[in-house]
Amino acid sequence: MPIPRAIEAADRHAIGRFLTRRWGTATIMLDGRAIDAAALPGFIACAAGPDQSGDDEGIVGLATLLDDDIQTEIVTLDAVSPGAGLGTALVELAAQRARALGLQRLLTRTTNDNLDALRFYQRRGFRLYRLTPGAIDREREADPAIARLGRHGIPLRDEITLIRLLDEG
């Protein structure tokens, strides 16, 4: 497994391309704010050579983070090869970083259709925190390209926030 490291300024362009390929854009909407995830701090893991897509960036894992007064939010989390432990390593690095900054919790969000993410985060100490009914419906009004049907044939409508208190490990 590649060893994740802190994102550096020289990584920004490749991160932007990676996020666009994986998420369709590097701009992530959070509470009505457009966040450039490629400009955020976080952690990156790169393969020794080109990644499977043929791009020369070699990114195989990425976590982008947004801090406020009490928490770090995982804005994006990607592991190109699920099940290899890289996603878990990125989450643990985010938790260590938040603790080092004196923050109390780690937060993340997903959509109601993302059963894999719900399972992943709960198995890593996150708890369901908030349901925002219609959040994706409202985002779709601003961006009609957002699909109506999500993973597993589930209508894509709501946002689920999960939280991990850092004193719980």
Side-chain angles (χ1 to χ4, degrees):
M1 174 176 75
I3 307 296
R5 60 169 172 78
I7 292 172
E8 300 170 357
D11 299 321
R12 298 293 175 194
H13 186 69
I15 289 170
R17 288 192 319 261
F18 179 81
L19 288 170
T20 299
R21 192 174 67 250
R22 299 277 293 185
W23 293 70
T25 180
T27 303
I28 306 297
M29 296 301 294
L30 292 178
D31 300 326
R33 297 177 299 150
I35 307 291
D36 179 5
L40 295 174
F43 299 94
I44 187 170
C46 297
D51 66 13
Q52 301 254 342
S53 69
D55 290 346
D56 61 357
E57 56 205 51
I59 297 173
V60 296
L62 178 69
T64 60
L65 310 170
L66 184 64
D67 304 315
D68 67 22
D69 293 339
I70 61 168
Q71 67 196 12
T72 292
E73 179 163 356
I74 299 171
V75 176
T76 68
L77 179 68
D78 287 280
V80 172
S81 298
L86 187 53
T88 299
L90 291 165
V91 167
E92 292 310 315
L93 284 168
Q96 290 171 15
R97 180 183 171 278
R99 281 188 194 101
L101 292 172
L103 303 175
Q104 302 168 7
R105 57 193 194 179
L106 196 56
L107 179 133
T108 193
R109 307 173 199 218
T110 191
T111 51
N112 63 286
D113 67 317
N114 197 340
L115 305 178
D116 293 333
L118 289 167
R119 181 180 63 237
F120 173 84
Y121 285 114
Q122 289 181 84
R123 291 183 68 189
R124 282 144 191 91
F126 287 78
R127 297 185 64 160
L128 298 177
Y129 180 69
R130 179 176 53 232
L131 170 67
T132 308
I136 308 306
D137 294 328
R138 286 186 293 282
E139 287 181 14
R140 190 178 297 110
E141 290 173 10
D143 182 0
I146 296 173
R148 292 192 173 280
L149 198 60
R151 295 171 181 92
H152 311 289
I154 298 171
L156 185 54
R157 300 180 185 139
D158 311 313
E159 180 179 82
I160 299 168
T161 302
L162 296 101
I163 198 162
R164 176 173 153 184
L165 300 179
L166 295 176
D167 60 358
E168 291 180 358

